Amino acid sequence: PMIDRAAELGCEYYCIDCGWYADGYWWDSIGQWEVSKKRFPNGIQKVIDYIHQKGMKAGIWLEIEGMGMNCPLAKTLPDDWFFCRHGKRVAQNQRYLLDFRNPAVLDYVSGIVEPMIVDWGVDFFKMDYNVNTGIGSDINSDSCGDALLEHIRAVQDWYRYLYHRYPFLVIENCGSGGQRMDYGFLQLHSLQSISDQTDYISNAYIASVIASAVTPEQSGCWVYPYEDEREHVIFCMVTGLLLRPYISGKVWQLSQPQLDLMAEGIALYKDKIRRRLIRSTPFFPLGLSRENDPVLAFGLEDANGGFVAVFGIDQDVMTLSLPTKKPIQRVKCIYPKSEDCRYSVYQQKLTVALPQKKCARLFEFFY
């Protein structure tokens, strides 16, 4: 039912999240990556095939650089497969850390991932990393830091190998919901999970400033509605529309009017916004927002104009500065398309009166 709903909304990828390999508690058992027969009694292939039948590409969650301490395989492998210090394996967050300097490790992870691509038909990987390496490893190296550097370079070379063999792949640098976010990895990956934040107000604070750290077209932002209420859904949708939106939350439980609102936003993104992301420059009409600011705003500008998302958190009227390179000829509220808020532009400043607090709208301006 969730796959059906995602297809109806216009989503293009559908990702199977963590736990698909475990019958119950999944955290400390990662590493063998064998499909749970309890969760998938008919096999995971049936689900992936159904995703494809619905016109979407299939994704799957992996945390390929770690191995759970309770993974049976971990008990059989030699220590040089893992980060070690002082003669013991590094254990962090109930995980051991695979050492990609070891060619046997590279063979192993390739043997896990490539059949998923070739045999299962996986097009997208959500690569997570819920651990911290600390200072590195002292095995087979003259310093922990040198081992860590060589490991990271080996991980990145492995990704280059995957992209070379399978250039259609999309790999997200999830990295514990954005905690390993850097352009060492983002020079390779096309998108970055900016946060695991699920509170829709808190998520807007992150989304409104993320372009100071990551390009908007790489910023994967959860559109995470969990209330069947119009302004809640609009707020969630606006949060992701100038970034790379991930539809999540309890979408399949929404009523039809709210589903229609989401479908409207997704269509707008695909038709009007995403092609302009790569040539747009971000701007911050109210400066970089801080926690507890009553209003938020974030915009993108290109040669023809741009977009600005506005969020009223604890205030429903705001005035914000638009770019001043060219005179602005016109401003239009484009999401939702039913213009139910008052706004005006004068001398490159946009004044917006939102229908209520905890409310958001998306505008387009034209030069």
Side-chain angles (χ1 to χ4, degrees):
M2 288 185 276
I3 296 171
D4 291 341
R5 189 69 74 211
E8 292 164 7
L9 287 172
C11 297
E12 296 171 325
Y13 288 76
Y14 189 96
C15 183
I16 300 167
D17 211 340
C18 56
W20 55 267
Y21 47 82
D23 290 343
Y25 183 66
W26 57 270
W27 183 267
D28 59 0
S29 63
I30 66 168
Q32 288 187 277
W33 306 113
E34 295 175 352
V35 179
S36 165
K37 291 183 172 61
K38 184 176 180 180
R39 294 189 195 271
F40 296 90
N42 298 310
I44 202 169
Q45 191 67 58
K46 183 176 181 179
V47 177
I48 291 173
D49 289 345
Y50 191 74
I51 293 169
H52 289 152
Q53 290 168 21
K54 288 293 180 175
M56 295 182 291
K57 295 183 177 181
I60 200 162
W61 178 97
L62 277 178
E63 194 167 348
I64 200 67
E65 294 175 62
M67 185 171 289
M69 294 175 65
N70 286 326
C71 174
L73 186 59
K75 298 177 174 62
T76 69
L77 294 171
D79 285 343
D80 66 358
W81 274 54
F82 304 97
F83 277 41
C84 294
R85 290 197 290 269
H86 309 299
K88 294 183 178 181
R89 296 180 187 182
V90 174
Q92 210 281 327
N93 209 5
Q94 297 179 296
R95 308 275 174 79
Y96 297 129
L97 315 176
L98 289 172
D99 190 337
F100 276 54
R101 296 176 300 154
N102 187 332
V105 170
L106 294 175
D107 290 342
Y108 170 72
V109 295
S110 295
I112 295 294
V113 169
E114 293 192 76
M116 293 180 178
I117 302 167
V118 176
D119 300 332
W120 296 10
V122 169
D123 309 281
F124 170 87
F125 288 101
K126 183 179 181 71
M127 288 294 191
D128 219 335
Y129 194 71
N130 294 298
V131 292
N132 191 319
T133 60
I135 61 173
S137 176
D138 62 13
I139 191 171
N140 297 328
S141 183
D142 60 0
S143 72
C144 291
D146 186 54
L148 178 58
L149 178 61
E150 290 178 350
H151 161 77
I152 292 296
R153 287 173 173 169
V155 171
Q156 293 175 349
D157 284 344
W158 179 71
Y159 278 123
R160 291 186 182 96
Y161 160 82
L162 288 181
Y163 284 125
H164 178 73
R165 294 203 68 182
Y166 312 103
F168 57 84
L169 276 184
V170 175
I171 302 178
E172 171 199 327
N173 184 42
C174 178
S176 189
Q179 292 192 70
R180 186 169 74 169
M181 181 191 298
D182 68 85
Y183 270 90
F185 283 92
L186 283 177
Q187 66 176 315
L188 299 167
H189 299 325
S190 66
L191 72 166
Q192 167 73 56
S193 174
I194 63 172
S195 179
D196 278 346
Q197 177 60 250
T198 59
D199 178 83
Y200 79 116
I201 298 295
S202 298
N203 205 29
Y205 281 95
I206 298 168
S208 65
V209 296
I210 192 61
S212 64
V214 182
T215 61
E217 65 270 21
Q218 289 179 287
S219 298
C221 179
W222 274 2
V223 175
Y224 201 99
Y226 47 86
E227 296 176 7
D228 190 19
E229 193 273 325
R230 172 181 167 82
E231 290 299 340
H232 175 87
V233 171
I234 293 170
F235 195 108
C236 292
M237 200 78 233
V238 172
T239 301
L241 280 176
L242 298 186
L243 304 170
R244 190 88 162 256
Y246 301 163
I247 307 304
S248 189
K250 297 182 179 180
V251 172
W252 66 93
Q253 296 182 2
L254 297 180
S255 60
Q256 195 59 50
Q258 271 52 270
L259 288 170
D260 291 343
L261 268 175
M262 295 204 71
E264 176 191 330
I266 293 168
L268 174 69
Y269 178 79
K270 290 160 69 174
D271 295 341
K272 183 182 282 283
I273 297 173
R274 68 174 170 188
R275 292 180 184 86
R276 294 176 66 178
L277 288 182
I278 58 173
R279 63 173 186 264
S280 294
T281 303
F283 66 95
F284 305 93
L286 300 170
L288 295 178
S289 60
R290 300 186 179 200
E291 190 177 6
N292 298 322
D293 279 358
V295 296
L296 309 172
F298 162 57
L300 296 172
E301 177 198 21
D302 63 16
N304 299 313
F307 308 97
V308 60
V310 299
F311 305 87
I313 309 298
D314 196 32
Q315 185 175 313
D316 54 6
V317 178
M318 64 196 76
T319 298
L320 46 96
S321 299
L322 297 179
T324 57
K325 295 178 183 177
K326 299 179 183 178
I328 293 174
Q329 304 299 323
R330 183 165 63 96
V331 176
K332 178 179 176 60
C333 180
I334 59 171
Y335 185 77
K337 61 186 176 184
S338 57
E339 294 196 16
D340 53 359
C341 67
R342 292 181 290 110
Y343 58 93
S344 61
V345 62
Y346 178 70
Q347 293 185 344
Q348 309 295 102
K349 292 186 180 295
L350 174 65
T351 299
V352 179
L354 296 170
Q356 63 179 54
K357 295 177 182 179
K358 291 185 172 56
C359 184
R361 293 294 184 269
L362 181 66
F363 295 87
E364 182 175 9
F365 59 91
F366 304 84
Y367 290 141

